[in-house]
Amino acid sequence: METKRLYRSRENRMICGVCGGVADYFNVDPTLIRLGLVLLACTGTGILAYFIAAIIVPDQPQT
């Protein structure tokens, strides 16, 4: 059985691909993840979490 890994998306990318990658990982629509990020961005923690994830989470491998 293959282990599921979190990657930044190459196809569902607006800025860095973090939201698209999280959506692929949880198998949900990327728009829902982006809306959740906008709600978290209002508190300030969402922006910080996004940029930390953009640095830590690797790009999706080429297929």
Side-chain angles (χ1 to χ4, degrees), residues 31-54:
T31 306
L32 295 174
I33 302 298
R34 289 183 184 113
L35 287 173
L37 179 67
V38 167
L39 292 175
L40 284 176
C42 292
T43 65
T45 58
I47 297 169
L48 180 64
Y50 184 87
F51 286 114
I52 289 173

Side-chain angles (χ1 to χ4, degrees), residues 4-25:
K4 209 172 192 186
R5 303 257 343 235
L6 177 62
Y7 293 109
R8 289 187 289 145
S9 177
R10 291 187 185 271
E11 291 84 28
N12 288 324
R13 181 175 285 221
M14 289 281 188
I15 298 174
C16 293
V18 174
C19 291
V22 171
D24 289 342
Y25 185 80

